[in-house]
Amino acid sequence: MNKRIRKAAVIGSGIMGSGIAAQLANAGISCLLLDIVPQRLTDAEMAAGLTLDHPSVRNRLATAAIAGLFKTKPAPLYDNAFAERITPGNLEDHLALIADVDWVIEVVVENLEVKQKLLTQVERHWKPGTIVSSNTSGISINAMTEGRSEEFRSHFLGTHFFNPPRYMKLLEIIPGQMTDPELIQDLSRFCERTLGKTVVLAKDTPNFIANRIGTYGLLVTLREMEEKGYTVEEVDAVTGPAMGRPKSATFRTLDLVGLDTFLHVADNVYANVKDEAEKVVFAAPESLKQMVSRGWLGEKSGQGFYRKIKGERGSEILSLNLQTMDYGPQRKVASASLEAAKLAKGAAAKTKALLGAQDRYSQLAWDVLKQVLIYSAAKMGEIADSIREIDEAMKWGFNWELGPFETWDAIGLVRSVEKMEAEGLTVPAWVKNWIAEGNTSFYKKDGGSLFQAAVGGYTPVQLPQEQISLRDLKSQNKVVRSNSGASLIDLGDGVACLEFHSPNNAIGADILQMISHSMDEVRDNFQGLVIANQGRNFCVGANLMLLLMEAQDEEWDEVDDIIRLFQNTMYRLKRFEKPVIAAPHRMTLGGGVEACMPADQVIATAETYYGLVEVGVGLIPAGGGCKELALRASHQVSLAEADLQPYLNHYFQTVGTATVSTSGHDAKRLGLLKPSDRVVLNPDHTIYEAKKAVLKLAGSGYEPIPETKFRVVGSEGKAVLQLGALGMHEGGYISDHDLLIANKLAHVLAGGDVPAGTYVTEQYMLDLEREAFLSLCGEPKTRQRMQHMLRKGKPLRN
């Protein structure tokens, strides 16, 4: 399938259609984007003398959608250059071109009749074997293809992407009654490997899995709020991180989705389910109807449950009082249950702590949660064939940390069911039977494998071979060495993985020590090393608190020792006799980047935000970052007389402005990743891919790259860099301290005060880095920046 899907066509260029086309382009797939032909000219088209027959007019909607990708926030494209892979067109002139594509995705308005008419047109040009899918969020897949040929229906299914397609990992695949099972399997594999999605198989029921349960949960939360008199901010305080849910909780989520969109989704279930009790739940609340009628749709209209206003003291976010329909200042919410949840570690512990306290907020959490759990269990078999599909859909579609059945296990299945029944609730019979059979949880681990509840007992959860879990490996006693900051884990097949697990994965002496120990262990017992972890972020940099404490005490020898240890460890890693692959993900900053630079290859996730950001705390990269960039500049030109200056100018600007890549691909554009480095779209696959890369290098007779001297721009190039910084200062763009930092950075990147074209060693460059770093640590304004970052989590401009 990876080879077969090379071209795709997306029909419908709205927010979802253009977003799906962008993600296909991100994955390297050429895409045709089609929409209807406009019936009227714009003022600009009339002024240009165009007619309705002009190609630019006829393709206007798709062309405008592609142009809009550059302005959309967050960015739909990993790299703006990828937009070249999308070709605009229209349904009248270009629909026949779908005969040359491998996958057609329909993303038009959510109207059954419109979709049926479009699929009639599609089949006229359809090439047998081509996959056709609908991105519907809830319309019946089988109803759409009524009247279509059997062969067409065997190649048709639902592919429900979540918005925005680049960032939302969930993809619900909904087979029709006649969909070829092999096609389902192949497309699922393709979407996981190539598009980076977590795929769940849903049944052809209203709103499928995630929106069915998610909408139910939001509606019962709103009803509990109205019946018990909770405020908007109280509900959001309970139904957010305190329950292992996103910060957007209930009402910020509704504002983001759009209240009109949410009502449409709820109405779809209401109109298509037969159970009267279920209809009651999905009946649109009057409060929501009233808000929509007033145009209070959420963020897109400027107000919903929250409203942002500008006052004398800056912006303020007001919350809505549903009883008066007036906005007012938010009130801080605090209680014993919320504080207990805040102090607990992990979603399971947070939820237990929240429910364990006895106050009105723990009661709200229980009143909402018990209904969602029972509803999820009641829909098992109807909306999905396994509890795992439901859990994965809620985790990746609504960003819950735990799915419903995982949550049930976390709070205690048996005890919670007893409490539900004591309160008069009806628990689905299969859950009661499951407990009666002696089971106390829906999931269990045995021998390192995960099992889930199913008819007849537990059944294995089949995970893709590309999905390596470090947590599971540690539970199987695969840890080779460990300390407080990092562990060395046996990945099997002669490959070890160095995992950071310090707070925020910040690099301190413990991690550096474990890197050295890991090299000793790998040299003797393994074929190579992967540097990766599965924390929220790969690494936010060096241990800033430790540096600040030493600098404040003016323990300059200690600071020097810390930097030398970092530099020496990275240098040894670069010259290590076994292959090293780094696999960063998400935030990879400062020292995190410098920990990846010595690797033979970096295999980053697409969502890797990569940058040498030390100037934000008044410093410069000193763990080999500046040295590596100067070395790359020298290697980017093959002739001795070629000009290095343009490359140094680029790196100077990138580091000097603390630029962070917007994706793994953008890190390549910035030159922070090498051309030989790779980007993987599915973050669950990076360790697997890194392991493969180690074995490939080891199997080809690996030899470390020997050190050679390299050319620098010297004092002349340094003057060019400093002149640019001076211009920024005189223009009022940077402060006096910024200029000081920029001059230090220029001195290091240029190779110091040597003549232009001088060849230097890596150690010489490391010495320059360290000297500049130490001198900046002595600056009071640098220490102010470090303190501010530690306190506020954002840079100080002083």
Side-chain angles (χ1 to χ4, degrees):
M1 286 296 298
N2 283 335
K3 292 182 179 178
R4 194 161 72 80
I5 297 184
R6 298 191 182 105
K7 293 183 178 180
V10 175
I11 302 176
S13 66
I15 292 173
M16 280 304 299
S18 60
I20 292 170
Q23 187 61 12
L24 291 167
N26 284 335
I29 298 167
S30 299
C31 184
L32 183 65
L33 183 61
L34 305 179
D35 213 315
I36 60 173
V37 175
Q39 299 301 307
R40 295 180 180 178
L41 294 171
T42 64
D43 291 343
E45 288 167 343
M46 285 190 286
L50 302 179
T51 68
L52 288 173
D53 293 328
H54 195 280
S56 66
V57 175
R58 296 177 70 79
N59 296 341
R60 183 213 305 153
L61 295 180
T63 301
I66 296 170
L69 296 175
F70 304 130
K71 304 173 186 176
T72 302
K73 300 294 181 184
L77 293 164
Y78 296 144
D79 188 318
N80 284 344
F82 293 170
E84 296 175 2
R85 297 169 180 167
I86 307 174
T87 303
N90 67 77
L91 286 170
E92 293 180 17
D93 302 328
H94 304 113
L95 187 58
L97 296 177
I98 67 172
D100 295 325
V101 306
D102 306 306
W103 184 11
V104 178
I105 308 174
E106 169 272 305
V107 201
V108 299
V109 64
E110 285 286 85
N111 179 288
L112 178 59
E113 185 179 353
V114 172
K115 291 178 182 291
Q116 287 175 328
K117 288 181 178 178
L118 176 62
L119 292 176
T120 300
Q121 293 178 280
V122 167
E123 188 171 12
R124 292 184 186 134
H125 302 285
W126 177 71
K127 178 181 65 179
T130 299
I131 301 168
V132 182
S133 70
S134 171
N135 185 60
T136 178
S137 60
I139 295 178
S140 171
I141 300 303
N142 293 306
M144 276 188 227
T145 52
E146 289 178 1
R148 306 277 55 77
S149 69
E150 287 190 12
E151 187 173 12
F152 184 89
R153 296 181 76 180
S154 73
H155 286 79
F156 183 80
L157 71 170
T159 49
H160 181 209
F161 290 82
F162 277 64
N163 190 37
R166 167 181 167 179
Y167 300 94
M168 294 300 289
K169 200 161 177 273
L170 179 63
L171 173 63
E172 291 178 325
I173 286 185
I174 311 98
Q177 292 174 346
M178 298 183 66
T179 308
D180 182 351
E182 187 176 344
L183 181 148
I184 299 167
Q185 186 179 41
D186 287 346
L187 185 63
S188 297
R189 189 181 303 116
F190 171 82
C191 290
E192 286 177 355
R193 292 178 177 175
T194 305
L195 297 186
K197 297 299 177 183
T198 290
V199 174
V200 299
L201 294 183
K203 296 197 172 186
D204 190 14
T205 56
N207 290 4
F208 313 128
I209 301 175
N211 278 344
R212 181 75 168 268
I213 293 175
T215 302
Y216 178 90
L218 290 167
L219 287 169
V220 299
T221 302
L222 183 58
R223 285 194 167 84
E224 287 293 329
M225 169 193 177
E226 292 181 328
E227 290 175 9
K228 308 286 177 57
Y230 292 98
T231 66
V232 165
E233 52 264 51
E234 284 179 322
V235 171
D236 275 357
V238 172
T239 59
M243 290 180 68
R245 308 282 173 82
K247 290 181 180 179
S248 56
T250 296
F251 295 113
R252 291 188 193 279
T253 295
L254 285 170
D255 278 355
L256 287 167
V257 169
L259 272 63
D260 53 340
T261 302
F262 177 74
L263 282 186
H264 173 78
V265 173
D267 288 344
N268 187 54
V269 181
Y270 181 84
N272 288 286
V273 296
K274 298 178 181 179
D275 184 275
E276 289 302 319
E278 193 170 3
K279 275 184 177 290
V280 170
V281 176
F282 283 93
E286 287 302 318
S287 56
L288 284 185
K289 288 182 180 179
Q290 186 178 350
M291 292 175 69
V292 171
S293 69
R294 294 187 181 194
W296 299 357
L297 307 181
E299 283 208 351
K300 60 186 173 184
S301 67
Q303 65 186 95
F305 287 99
Y306 292 95
R307 179 184 177 189
K308 188 175 182 179
I309 62 170
K310 291 184 178 180
E312 294 180 359
R313 297 182 179 180
S315 297
E316 182 183 6
I317 297 177
L318 308 178
S319 61
L320 180 66
N321 183 324
L322 278 181
Q323 295 178 330
T324 65
M325 299 302 281
D326 293 323
Y327 290 93
Q330 294 185 65
R331 295 182 180 179
K332 189 173 181 180
V333 180
S335 76
S337 62
L338 292 172
E339 186 61 26
K342 184 178 180 180
L343 294 173
K345 300 295 184 182
K350 286 180 180 296
T351 306
K352 287 179 68 175
L354 178 64
L355 296 176
Q358 299 297 317
D359 60 32
R360 65 193 302 264
Y361 298 133
S362 62
Q363 188 63 47
L364 172 62
W366 170 247
D367 288 340
V368 170
L369 186 60
K370 66 186 180 185
Q371 296 181 72
V372 173
L373 297 183
I374 289 175
Y375 186 74
S376 300
K379 295 297 113 181
M380 235 298 291
E382 178 185 335
I383 64 176
D385 282 330
S386 74
I387 63 170
R388 184 70 173 178
E389 306 280 4
I390 294 175
D391 279 348
E392 291 294 285
M394 297 315 299
K395 286 193 292 185
W396 297 111
F398 277 75
N399 291 320
W400 292 7
E401 290 188 45
L402 297 174
F405 296 97
E406 292 171 326
T407 300
W408 219 332
D409 281 355
I411 65 174
L413 173 61
V414 176
R415 184 176 58 187
S416 61
V417 166
E418 290 173 351
K419 185 177 180 181
M420 290 170 184
E421 292 190 309
E423 294 177 1
L425 297 174
T426 301
V427 177
W430 77 266
V431 175
K432 294 173 66 176
N433 292 337
W434 180 254
I435 294 173
E437 292 168 4
N439 300 302
T440 58
S441 65
F442 289 113
Y443 292 97
K444 73 171 184 179
K445 283 194 173 182
D446 187 9
S449 297
L450 181 65
F451 294 81
Q452 63 177 322
V455 176
Y458 287 103
T459 186
V461 174
Q462 301 294 335
L463 298 176
Q465 66 171 346
E466 297 92 347
Q467 193 168 320
I468 295 175
S469 169
L470 297 181
R471 178 183 295 178
D472 287 350
L473 288 172
K474 287 190 284 188
S475 71
Q476 298 168 37
N477 298 317
K478 297 294 185 181
V479 176
V480 180
R481 290 194 181 205
S482 185
N483 67 15
S484 60
S487 295
L488 185 68
I489 302 166
D490 187 350
L491 296 179
D493 301 315
V495 180
C497 177
L498 177 66
E499 175 202 37
F500 299 168
H501 48 63
S502 63
N504 294 317
N505 289 343
I507 298 175
D510 48 1
I511 287 182
L512 295 173
Q513 183 183 57
M514 186 51 62
I515 293 174
S516 292
H517 289 331
S518 296
M519 284 189 278
D520 294 338
E521 189 73 41
V522 169
R523 183 187 58 235
D524 296 336
N525 300 307
F526 291 88
Q527 295 191 63
L529 178 67
V530 170
I531 301 176
N533 65 71
Q534 293 172 327
R536 177 171 177 78
N537 297 304
F538 177 78
C539 177
V540 298
N543 188 328
L544 190 61
M545 176 62 79
L546 176 62
L547 278 171
L548 177 60
M549 290 171 59
E550 299 292 359
Q552 286 177 327
D553 292 340
E554 298 186 356
E555 295 287 352
W556 305 123
D557 287 342
E558 292 294 330
V559 176
D560 185 70
D561 287 344
I562 292 170
I563 303 308
R564 282 182 187 273
L565 178 60
F566 199 145
Q567 290 182 339
N568 292 341
T569 305
M570 295 303 107
Y571 183 82
R572 184 186 170 200
L573 191 64
K574 184 174 182 179
R575 303 288 171 232
F576 186 48
E577 53 263 49
K578 298 287 182 74
V580 177
I581 305 294
H585 66 280
R586 291 187 61 83
M587 300 304 293
T588 304
L589 305 175
V593 173
E594 291 176 309
C596 295
M597 282 179 155
D600 296 289
Q601 187 180 33
V602 176
I603 297 181
T605 65
E607 300 302 339
T608 298
Y609 314 122
Y610 206 72
L612 292 165
V613 296
E614 286 84 352
V615 297
V617 290
L619 299 167
I620 68 161
C626 291
K627 177 261 294 182
E628 285 297 315
L629 293 181
L631 179 62
R632 288 181 189 182
S634 181
H635 288 170
Q636 281 173 298
V637 292
S638 56
L639 300 177
E641 66 275 12
D643 189 5
L644 298 177
Q645 195 68 49
Y647 298 98
L648 260 296
N649 293 348
H650 169 74
Y651 288 135
F652 179 68
Q653 181 178 9
T654 300
V655 178
T657 56
T659 299
V660 177
S661 73
T662 57
S663 68
H665 296 87
D666 190 47
K668 276 197 166 189
R669 181 189 65 81
L670 291 171
L672 297 174
L673 290 179
K674 303 185 299 291
S676 59
D677 293 334
R678 289 178 52 206
V679 178
V680 175
L681 268 65
N682 194 322
D684 295 334
H685 295 181
T686 49
I687 294 179
Y688 172 82
E689 293 295 333
K691 177 183 173 182
K692 280 203 317 183
V694 165
L695 292 172
K696 182 178 179 180
L697 287 173
S700 61
Y702 176 78
E703 290 288 340
I705 299 173
E707 180 179 359
T708 57
K709 289 185 176 183
F710 60 95
R711 188 161 55 100
V712 295
V713 296
S715 55
E716 293 180 17
K718 170 184 168 181
V720 172
L721 300 178
Q722 291 181 331
L723 185 61
L726 182 61
M728 294 285 288
H729 181 259
E730 291 180 348
Y733 296 105
I734 63 176
S735 67
D736 291 347
H737 194 53
D738 290 327
L739 181 61
L740 173 67
I741 299 164
N743 286 333
K744 297 280 187 181
L745 177 63
H747 178 75
V748 176
L749 284 175
D753 292 320
V754 297
T758 298
Y759 282 80
V760 300
T761 64
E762 291 187 41
Q763 186 58 57
Y764 168 82
M765 293 294 290
L766 291 173
D767 292 341
L768 290 182
E769 281 187 356
R770 194 174 63 259
E771 290 165 6
F773 189 94
L774 282 166
S775 68
L776 287 169
C777 282
E779 294 289 335
K781 288 189 175 182
T782 284
R783 295 200 291 273
Q784 289 172 12
R785 291 190 179 193
M786 295 166 76
Q787 288 174 326
H788 190 271
M789 178 62 73
L790 289 167
R791 282 201 314 267
K792 304 289 187 179
K794 55 186 179 182
L796 169 69
R797 297 300 303 275
N798 59 354

